[in-house]
């Protein structure tokens, strides 16, 4: 199957209110251009040092998403242009993003990553940590970040009931945080959950942004 056919199949399967982010990590500029020519504009990368050179070579109207774990010392590479950072998993990281946003005089849109999986290998904050961040004085003084929503990754398992449980929990957290800290702020509107193997349950449990790599570009090496 070609990249454009794969894209078409996925787009037919997801409702219009769900944003598809094509995760292009490890893919060549040519492969990304094939998806671009098929109409795809949102792309996601998981490493700053891969994202920056790709963004330089590819068309300007691509919206770039940083979906993978981001180290504080790499923020400076993506802060000037990135359209959404999905993976804010520490208060300290958000502070650094704010600082780099100020240097570039731009507000950087971000999602807070919550840890929902049973696996300990996945990054993210728990619910209490997230509330503490949003209630902190340092957060209230951050003028160069905009929290647009939440992101989470389910456990890597065949147990779909478990995946659904984890996604459902994240959606609950999303609703709770929206009501408590962002009521009257319609721009807190993004729930990024679901990848190639679990985007269908992700959407059914309330996701409106899915991050899909393998199902578009094929298996990674
Ligand atoms: C790689 C990656 C994806 C895409 O995974 P696929 O299984 O290839 O769809 C989504 N989100 C994050 C954070 C990733 O690192």
């Amino acid at each position: 199957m070609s990249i454009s056919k794969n894209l078409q199949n996925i787009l037919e399967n997801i409702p219009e209110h769900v944003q598809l982010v094509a995760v292009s990590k490890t893919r060549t500029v040519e492969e990304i251009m094939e998806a671009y020519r098929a109409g795809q504009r949102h792309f996601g990368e998981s490493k700053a040092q891969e994202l920056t050179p790709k963004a330089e070579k590819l068309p300007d109207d691509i919206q770039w998403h940083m979906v993978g774990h981001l180290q504080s010392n790499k923020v400076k590479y993506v802060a000037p242009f990135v359209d959404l950072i999905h993976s804010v998993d520490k208060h300290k990281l958000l502070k650094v993003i704010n600082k780099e946003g100020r240097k570039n005089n731009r507000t950087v849109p971000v999602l807070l990553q919550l840890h929902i999986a049973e696996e300990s290998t996945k990054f993210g904050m728990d619910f209490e940590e997230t509330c503490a961040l949003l209630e902190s004085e340092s957060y209230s003084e951050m003028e160069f970040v905009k929290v647009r929503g939440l992101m989470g990754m389910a456990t890597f398992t065949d147990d779909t009931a478990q995946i659904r449980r984890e996604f459902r929990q994240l959606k609950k957290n999303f609703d709770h945080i929206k009501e408590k800290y962002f009521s009257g702020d319609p721009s807190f509107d993004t729930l990024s959950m679901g990848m190639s193997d679990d985007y269908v349950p992700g959407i059914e449990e309330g996701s409106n942004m899915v991050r899909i790599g393998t199902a578009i570009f094929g298996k990674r090496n």
Side-chain angles (χ1 to χ4, degrees), residues 23 25 46 67-68 151 153 195-196 211-215 220:
V23 177
K25 62 190 185 201
S46 64
V67 300
M151 183 273 247
M153 290 167 90
M195 325 199 324
S196 291
R211 311 175 310 274
I212 300 182
T214 310
R220 281 181 295 275

Side-chain angles (χ1 to χ4, degrees), residues 51-63:
L51 169 53
T52 309
K54 275 182 178 171
E56 278 168 14
K57 290 189 198 102
L58 283 152
D60 281 343
D61 64 340
I62 288 182
Q63 305 219 27

Side-chain angles (χ1 to χ4, degrees), residues 10 29 31 40 54 63 93 101 108 121 129 167 180 209:
I10 292 165
V29 164
E31 288 172 296
Q40 183 64 26
K54 275 182 178 171
Q63 305 219 27
L93 177 61
V108 182
T121 50
E129 234 177 315
F167 282 158
K180 198 162 171 202
M209 188 174 277

Side-chain angles (χ1 to χ4, degrees), residues 69-70 72 75 87-99 110-114 124-126 128-142 145 147:
H69 180 61
L70 180 59
S72 293
V75 173
S87 45
V88 175
D89 58 356
K90 283 201 176 67
H91 192 154
K92 183 181 154 242
L93 177 61
L94 194 60
K95 284 185 190 170
V96 175
I97 296 169
N98 184 62
K99 193 177 95 193
V110 303
L111 304 177
L112 304 178
Q113 182 173 358
L114 267 67
M125 299 179 279
D126 63 26
E128 287 71 31
E129 234 177 315
T130 309
C131 292
L133 189 167
L134 294 170
E135 287 168 19
S136 68
E137 193 176 328
S138 88
Y139 171 72
S140 72
E141 290 166 352
M142 290 181 194
V145 291
V147 176

